[in-house]
Amino acid sequence: MSASPARGPDVLLVNVDSTGGWTVAARELASAFEAAGASVAVAGTGPVPLVRTYALTDLTQAWMARQACRRAVAAHRPAAIVYCSMLAALLWPAPGTIWLDALAAENRPGRHGVWQRVVEKRRVAQAPLVLTMGERSLDSLTTPRPGHVVVVPVPVDASLPAPGASGQRDIDVLAYAGNPEKKRLDFVLATWARVRRPGERLVIAGIDGLAPRTGVEVAGRLPGHEYRALLRRARVFAHAPTREDYGIAPLEALADGCLLATTPAPGPYPARELARALDPRLVDEDLGAAVRAALDDPSPGYAARAAELMAPFSRRAVARTLTADVLPRIVPAWLDR
């Protein structure tokens, strides 16, 4: 009698490695599934090429995700597939669950999303389950909202200080500029030059080669644990993106006790709503006014209240959602285990 084939992983995550944020998000989701008791395999595209136009970029990356998925399905025979982003699902070789932050209908307007907006409507309708990172992720959907939706944020926990760390908040303002154009680094620097007072300093992380200037220090690109150590030392996190589909950086800042001073950028941007609930003065088109309010008149108990609002984003909370609302719907016989 021949032996029965080994059971493959419960979940295959398919990810486009186009940004550090999505690579981190896929890794965190994999950890949350494992915490929920599922076995997981991850199929990433690896480095993606730079091509002209958003439409061609998305086509190239979606094709790479399709090929990565086909290879992983053949190798692992998973019980379920989860596509990490709408982009990863656009050219899928087989239907699966889609985990998304926003739709092309919102972040690919005009000619930039000429084919993506059409395809994504079909994918949302065909997916057995849609997982959204926030409550507003599907706001731009022009077809009826699917009934099969579960909110599953990227897990974000407070980081742990190294033994012997001082715990002092000796950085006045920290900003992350991994994508300087999207993060509006020039605007942040100009704002800081306008509102800075003598002796105050802004630290810029996530980018190399930026020339230092008065009141500005450059931390550069850092490993995750070193970047989170900076957050634990910062009083204020300044954020002024052109738009924010999710925004891990401001959520990490809130988790580590920073006051979040931000512009009300378009996009689902869940941290914006948390910031408004914590102190509406700190969400302002005038980033300088928000930064000065945070530095000069911080709201009492801000960090403790932020920790409470961040509870649904914790790995433990996300794992509970996956156990109760996701795995029973996508993995056959999950409840019989």
Side-chain angles (χ1 to χ4, degrees):
M1 181 181 296
S2 60
S4 58
R7 182 171 66 89
D10 296 310
V11 179
L12 170 67
L13 301 183
V14 181
N15 185 51
V16 178
D17 297 306
S18 56
T19 67
W22 267 112
T23 300
V24 169
R27 182 175 68 238
E28 290 291 348
L29 184 64
S31 296
F33 268 117
E34 289 170 346
S39 54
V40 182
V42 179
T45 59
V48 297
L50 296 176
V51 297
R52 294 175 62 85
T53 78
Y54 284 121
L56 183 57
T57 294
D58 290 349
L59 180 62
T60 301
Q61 295 178 8
W63 178 257
M64 292 177 68
R66 174 184 175 87
Q67 297 303 97
C69 182
R70 292 181 66 179
R71 291 191 296 269
V73 168
H76 299 294
R77 302 295 180 185
I81 302 172
V82 176
Y83 295 96
C84 297
S85 78
M86 177 55 70
L87 177 58
L90 286 175
L91 299 181
W92 66 18
T97 296
I98 304 173
W99 185 46
L100 57 87
D101 56 351
L103 295 171
E106 183 170 0
N107 61 26
R108 289 291 188 265
R111 60 183 176 82
H112 298 300
V114 65
W115 70 273
Q116 305 96 308
R117 296 191 300 270
V118 175
V119 176
E120 76 179 2
K121 293 179 182 178
R122 295 202 296 267
R123 293 295 177 261
V124 168
Q126 294 165 342
L129 186 64
V130 176
L131 311 179
T132 63
M133 291 186 184
E135 297 286 351
R136 299 182 57 197
S137 295
L138 297 179
D139 280 1
S140 60
L141 193 66
T142 57
T143 54
R145 183 185 177 96
H148 46 286
V149 178
V150 178
V151 176
V152 178
V154 179
V156 177
D157 280 321
S159 61
L160 298 176
S166 68
Q168 294 181 349
R169 298 274 175 179
D170 60 339
I171 297 173
D172 297 296
V173 182
L174 177 67
Y176 180 79
N179 183 329
E181 182 177 351
K182 180 180 178 182
K183 304 304 181 187
R184 293 206 293 169
L185 175 59
D186 288 344
F187 173 77
V188 172
L189 290 171
T191 297
W192 182 241
R194 174 170 58 87
V195 304
R196 172 184 176 268
R197 291 178 182 163
E200 293 178 335
R201 63 171 173 154
L202 164 69
V203 175
I204 303 292
I207 186 172
D208 295 320
L210 181 67
R213 60 197 75 187
T214 303
V216 177
E217 296 180 12
V218 181
R221 300 179 186 273
L222 299 170
H225 68 282
E226 293 184 19
Y227 171 70
R228 296 299 293 271
L230 285 182
L231 283 175
R232 294 193 301 272
R233 293 170 53 196
R235 296 171 60 195
V236 177
F237 185 82
H239 197 55
T242 54
R243 64 166 287 113
E244 197 63 89
D245 292 332
Y246 186 69
I248 292 177
L251 289 170
E252 289 177 337
L254 289 172
D256 279 337
C258 297
L259 281 77
L260 175 58
T262 182
T263 54
Y269 191 8
R272 175 191 55 219
E273 307 311 317
L274 301 184
R276 280 193 176 124
L278 289 163
D279 188 342
R281 299 174 303 159
L282 307 192
V283 182
D284 197 322
E285 290 288 359
D286 183 351
L287 180 65
V291 168
R292 287 268 41 114
L295 290 174
D296 299 339
D297 186 25
S299 178
Y302 187 102
R305 289 183 289 115
E308 293 177 0
L309 293 181
M310 286 296 298
F313 294 84
S314 70
R315 292 184 182 91
R316 179 177 296 180
V318 173
R320 286 199 298 266
T321 298
L322 295 177
T323 300
D325 300 325
V326 176
L327 286 166
R329 301 188 189 193
I330 67 174
V331 177
W334 176 262
L335 294 177
D336 295 335
R337 296 185 180 186

